[in-house]
Amino acid sequence: MAHPAREINDNPLVILEVLYDYVSEHTAWISLLLGENGTLSFINSLNDVVRSCCIDHWMEIFTKKEAKTYDYFCSFIVSGCVALVNDWLNSGMKESA
């Protein structure tokens, strides 16, 4: 589900809400992919998905000249989301999605 840049600017937690709902529905698979024996290719795929799903909307924030900045932004978002998901899974998902 794509979210317009303005919606994310107004409520950035919308990204996490969608992510946590998905993780809570697919906990076993996500735990395997992000765990100690997980794979970096999954994180790279996540980065690609975020970039492809959000590029049209998020380019409202960035200009064409800032393509590298957009790449850094996507990497930052994905890395932060992966770290939050890992912490949530490792804590036994005590908080609700």
Side-chain angles (χ1 to χ4, degrees):
M1 169 187 282
H3 292 280
R6 286 185 190 94
E7 178 184 356
I8 293 168
N9 279 340
D10 293 342
N11 182 14
L13 293 179
V14 73
I15 296 171
L16 294 178
E17 291 168 356
V18 172
L19 176 67
Y20 277 89
D21 285 341
Y22 184 84
V23 170
S24 65
E25 292 173 18
H26 302 91
T27 303
W29 286 109
I30 302 296
S31 294
L32 286 172
L33 292 169
L34 294 179
E36 286 183 28
N37 298 316
T39 174
L40 185 57
S41 65
F42 175 68
I43 295 172
N44 291 335
S45 294
L46 255 172
N47 196 4
D48 292 342
V49 167
V50 168
R51 185 175 284 112
S52 66
C53 289
C54 301
I55 193 164
D56 292 337
H57 299 293
W58 288 0
M59 284 309 284
E60 292 175 25
I61 299 170
F62 300 96
T63 65
K64 297 281 185 202
K65 296 176 188 174
E66 297 174 311
K68 192 60 183 172
T69 302
Y70 178 74
D71 288 340
Y72 291 143
F73 178 76
C74 285
S75 294
F76 175 77
I77 295 296
V78 170
S79 297
C81 288
V82 168
L84 286 172
V85 167
N86 268 330
D87 288 348
W88 188 51
L89 291 171
N90 290 335
S91 71
M93 298 172 25
K94 293 176 185 167
E95 300 87 1
S96 65

